[in-house]
Amino acid sequence: MEPDVQYAVGLDIGDGESSLCWLPTHGRKRARVYTRGTDGAAIVTALGRKRLDQRKYEYVIGEAAVLAKDVLHFSVNFKTRPDPESLAAPESVRFAQILLTEFFSRHPEVGRDCVVYVGHPTGWDPESVTTYRQHFSSMDQPVRLVPESQSALVHVRDRRAGRREAHKFDRVLVVDIGSSTTDCTFVEDLIPQNLQVGSDLGCSLIDQDLAKKVREAFAGNKEFTKALDQDGSEEMLRLVCRRAKEAQFTGTDVRLQELQAGCDTRFTPFVNPALSWLRSVDIPRRVVRGPGGWAERFADILTEVRGLLGEVRPELVVITGGGSRMPVVRQLCLDSFPEAALENDTDPYLSVARGLASVGRHRVNVARFRHDIQALKDRPAFEEKIRIGLLDAFDEAKNTLLTGLLERANDVNASAHDEQEIDALIHRLTGMDQVLARLRVRLSAELTPMALDVCRSYSIRDDRFALDLFLPGIIGTAISARIRPMWRTLRAAQIVLSSFKLLKWPTMFGLKYLKKHPYAVSPAQLKGAGVIVAAALGLTKATEAGARQLIRTTLQKAQLVFRDPVRVTCSVLPR
């Protein structure tokens, strides 16, 4: 089970921008978003080496890796599938380690007691995910990997949980559109199915297409071409294209102005012309929706998803990720799934990070819930209710058997020689099945309120919990085992009662019957009951009363003894 920690940290490493959120695992507070300088909540996924002196340098991340004047080399858009054959950690892992180290230095209380949840593209194969996880093993904090689209789904579910008027959807398709991949997860009856599509379709393809068009537009500009030959120029050009794309989709130019004013002067000969050209291009229509463009490929992905789902159709389509801000995404999803409701996240670039932190809190609370439910069975009050219930069930079985014997039940005299036959006979005469059924109902009624108290402490509604009790067969076996040693005495006494009915007829008829059925009143059997045939024949009234009293006394003395404390096994099943 997940360790009982105080905080859950969610880290979404995007191909263009990353984000980090954290929240306490106790309570229901919303996730806090980590911001750093000019990066804000969306941290540029960039890694650079900053010179300290002639021999020393340090790694820097975010906008500092792009805009600082003394950065020797930087890289962006480096979120790729890890190579299982390579021992070297990918740049995305190094970026994440630096970001987390910085975060924990500013929030040491979180770093001392947390689990970190890192997202990975849903379409990655298990071997790549395992390799990615191994690269994070050097962290001081435990790190878990979670598919990004599933994380976004958890965030959407949490957000919808607060809406009382929200319709419940049993079939949900989550489309998470990031820079490097488009992840699709279909959820039916709360069971997620990661669809192996879109692993090569990210919005960074739009940036690459724009960069190609920029180079083509300025192919004859020598100064422009020379500037592009410098270290880091390709990364800078892709970043410029990304910002220009986002500016047109969000209707703002602020990020472009910051980039133009802050970049290294080495890049000015191509940054300024590129920005001017990009402003003049209708990126959504000419590039994204153009023939063979990103939108066409995205539509193909949705068609593939419909094929994988077969006849099943989602009732709700949730689109998240930074790419979901493009209007064409919403339109294509409506075209592909016209029968489904469509929902956008208000802050799509934070959906995965918030969902990862929420996944952490849910897992920790599930572990706590399991622990508290398991501990419930060890409470004295819990054990006492079970103990009393078992004793009352034993008394009920005895009383049923007593009534049956005193009423001269027809099947009492059936031949039973070995223990299995005797146990089966006792099982029928005690009404064991009915006794155990009533015991199950009683224990459910008495134990459920105690379990519901635990559920309520975790904000689990009463109608979401059901206590299923499974009474092991050993209970009936134990009751039969306590009666079996007395069975010869009880049966012999019952034989006397059965014979007494015949003794009301002429004695000769009774003697003929006894000779015909010698097994019914054999001396060995009657000896066990402390009664002899002569007494039965000579003192009929007294013998009947004695046999009835013997049955009562024998059963009254029977006790269900607990040699060990009550043992209860508690299993928590997911619902």
Side-chain angles (χ1 to χ4, degrees):
M1 293 194 299
E2 203 70 324
D4 189 357
V5 295
Q6 295 299 313
Y7 296 95
V9 178
L11 174 58
D12 175 26
I13 306 172
D15 194 50
E17 292 178 340
S18 300
S19 55
L20 188 153
C21 298
W22 80 102
L23 46 70
T25 55
H26 287 279
R28 302 186 63 83
K29 290 184 179 180
R30 294 190 62 185
R32 295 175 59 186
V33 181
Y34 179 61
T35 58
R36 56 187 312 273
T38 58
D39 280 289
I43 304 166
V44 177
T45 308
L47 179 68
R49 291 189 300 172
K50 182 178 180 180
R51 187 190 300 275
L52 299 178
D53 54 36
Q54 293 296 326
R55 296 183 177 181
K56 295 181 180 180
Y57 63 87
E58 67 177 359
Y59 282 102
V60 290
I61 60 174
E63 287 197 346
V66 180
L67 303 180
K69 302 297 190 295
D70 51 356
V71 173
L72 299 176
H73 172 77
F74 70 91
S75 56
V76 295
N77 302 104
F78 44 66
K79 186 178 179 181
T80 58
R81 192 188 304 265
D83 182 6
E85 302 298 326
S86 176
L87 297 178
E91 289 185 310
S92 57
V93 174
R94 182 172 295 177
F95 170 87
Q97 291 171 335
I98 295 173
L99 177 58
L100 287 169
T101 300
E102 175 188 289
F103 168 71
F104 291 136
S105 67
R106 297 183 184 181
H107 298 277
E109 75 286 358
V110 179
R112 287 191 295 267
D113 195 12
C114 74
V115 174
V116 180
Y117 294 83
V118 178
H120 69 82
T122 303
W124 279 6
D125 58 89
E127 189 177 18
S128 298
V129 175
T130 300
T131 303
Y132 199 48
R133 182 186 300 110
Q134 291 171 347
H135 288 311
F136 282 101
S137 60
S138 61
M139 295 290 299
D140 293 333
Q141 295 78 14
V143 176
R144 308 285 188 266
L145 298 186
V146 182
E148 291 167 349
S149 55
Q150 285 187 214
S151 307
L153 173 66
V154 171
H155 168 63
V156 171
R157 189 201 64 179
D158 288 348
R159 194 182 72 238
R160 293 178 62 86
R163 307 178 191 171
R164 293 185 177 273
E165 73 282 0
H167 185 269
K168 178 183 177 182
F169 295 98
D170 295 323
R171 300 187 303 277
V172 181
L173 174 66
V174 181
V175 183
D176 179 33
I177 307 162
S179 294
S180 59
T181 62
T182 296
D183 292 342
C184 298
T185 295
F186 182 67
V187 182
E188 185 174 15
D189 296 331
L190 299 181
I191 301 175
Q193 176 188 357
N194 298 324
L195 305 179
Q196 301 300 309
V197 298
S199 59
D200 297 323
L201 182 66
C203 292
S204 61
L205 294 178
I206 303 174
D207 307 338
Q208 295 174 21
D209 194 12
L210 285 171
K212 179 182 178 181
K213 293 181 181 301
V214 169
R215 286 193 295 269
E216 291 173 350
F218 293 93
N221 189 322
K222 293 182 179 180
E223 187 179 5
F224 186 97
T225 304
K226 182 179 179 180
L228 275 177
D229 289 336
Q230 300 176 91
D231 178 51
S233 59
E234 287 294 331
E235 289 81 0
M236 176 60 76
L237 179 58
R238 285 201 300 270
L239 183 59
V240 169
C241 292
R242 176 185 175 86
R243 292 289 177 81
K245 175 192 66 179
E246 292 175 347
Q248 291 199 19
F249 281 115
T250 59
T252 177
D253 202 35
V254 176
R255 302 292 284 172
L256 288 174
Q257 292 173 353
E258 291 176 355
L259 184 61
Q260 192 170 12
C263 73
D264 194 315
T265 55
R266 295 180 299 123
F267 304 137
T268 304
F270 73 81
V271 169
N272 289 337
L275 286 175
S276 298
W277 185 87
L278 288 165
R279 285 189 178 101
S280 67
V281 177
D282 186 347
I283 297 175
R285 185 176 62 85
R286 287 184 54 188
V287 180
V288 177
R289 298 192 184 190
W294 186 91
E296 189 175 298
R297 296 181 61 182
F298 180 69
D300 292 339
I301 292 294
L302 296 179
T303 301
E304 189 176 353
V305 169
R306 285 182 65 93
L308 291 173
L309 296 181
E311 298 298 323
V312 180
R313 290 291 178 262
E315 299 170 294
L316 172 67
V317 176
V318 178
I319 52 177
T320 65
S324 65
R325 291 175 289 186
M326 295 187 293
V328 66
V329 168
R330 182 177 182 87
Q331 185 57 53
L332 290 175
C333 287
L334 287 172
D335 293 343
S336 297
F337 302 99
E339 65 278 1
L342 188 66
E343 181 173 315
N344 288 77
D345 194 355
T346 53
D347 297 313
Y349 65 96
L350 291 174
S351 299
V352 172
R354 285 173 170 163
L356 287 166
S358 187
V359 166
R361 175 159 62 190
H362 285 305
R363 288 188 180 180
V364 171
N365 277 288
V366 166
R368 288 176 182 153
F369 175 76
R370 288 178 180 271
H371 174 271
D372 290 350
I373 284 291
Q374 295 284 358
L376 179 64
K377 66 183 178 59
D378 297 323
R379 292 184 188 178
F382 197 88
E383 288 192 351
E384 183 64 12
K385 288 186 180 297
I386 295 177
R387 190 184 71 85
I388 293 176
L390 292 175
L391 291 175
D392 289 348
F394 183 60
D395 288 341
E396 182 182 350
K398 290 194 304 181
N399 292 334
T400 302
L401 178 60
L402 173 64
T403 301
L405 292 177
L406 294 182
E407 290 178 355
R408 304 183 181 92
N410 293 331
D411 58 354
V412 174
N413 291 321
S415 177
H417 302 288
D418 58 32
E419 288 190 359
Q420 286 187 336
E421 291 178 327
I422 293 174
D423 285 342
L425 186 57
I426 294 175
H427 192 93
R428 290 199 308 272
L429 293 177
T430 55
M432 192 67 68
D433 292 335
Q434 294 78 11
V435 169
L436 295 180
R438 284 188 286 271
L439 174 62
R440 186 175 184 273
V441 172
R442 170 181 173 173
L443 291 180
S444 294
E446 293 182 347
L447 300 180
T448 294
M450 301 175 68
L452 288 177
D453 287 341
V454 176
C455 293
R456 290 165 188 151
S457 67
Y458 289 92
S459 301
I460 300 175
R461 300 196 311 268
D462 290 3
D463 60 351
R464 300 294 298 274
F465 176 84
L467 179 65
D468 294 326
L469 290 178
F470 300 91
L471 300 182
I474 190 63
I475 295 178
T477 302
I479 293 177
S480 297
R482 298 302 301 172
I483 295 176
R484 191 192 310 122
M486 311 166 188
W487 182 246
R488 292 178 60 124
T489 301
L490 293 170
R491 186 179 176 193
Q494 174 60 21
I495 291 171
V496 171
L497 293 181
S498 299
S499 301
F500 174 74
K501 180 179 180 180
L502 298 175
L503 295 177
K504 292 180 179 179
W505 300 90
T507 302
M508 186 58 65
F509 177 85
L511 290 175
K512 288 181 178 179
Y513 175 84
L514 294 177
K515 290 179 181 179
K516 186 176 181 181
H517 302 281
Y519 68 88
V521 286
S522 64
Q525 290 171 319
L526 294 177
K527 182 179 180 181
V531 184
I532 59 175
V533 175
L537 296 176
L539 303 172
T540 56
K541 293 291 185 182
T543 301
E544 180 192 20
R548 292 181 179 276
Q549 185 59 39
L550 181 60
I551 292 174
R552 292 191 182 95
T553 303
T554 301
L555 288 174
Q556 286 172 357
K557 290 182 178 180
Q559 294 182 347
L560 187 63
V561 180
F562 294 99
R563 292 185 174 85
D564 300 308
V566 176
R567 294 179 179 176
V568 182
T569 300
C570 180
S571 298
V572 181
L573 302 177
R575 294 180 61 84

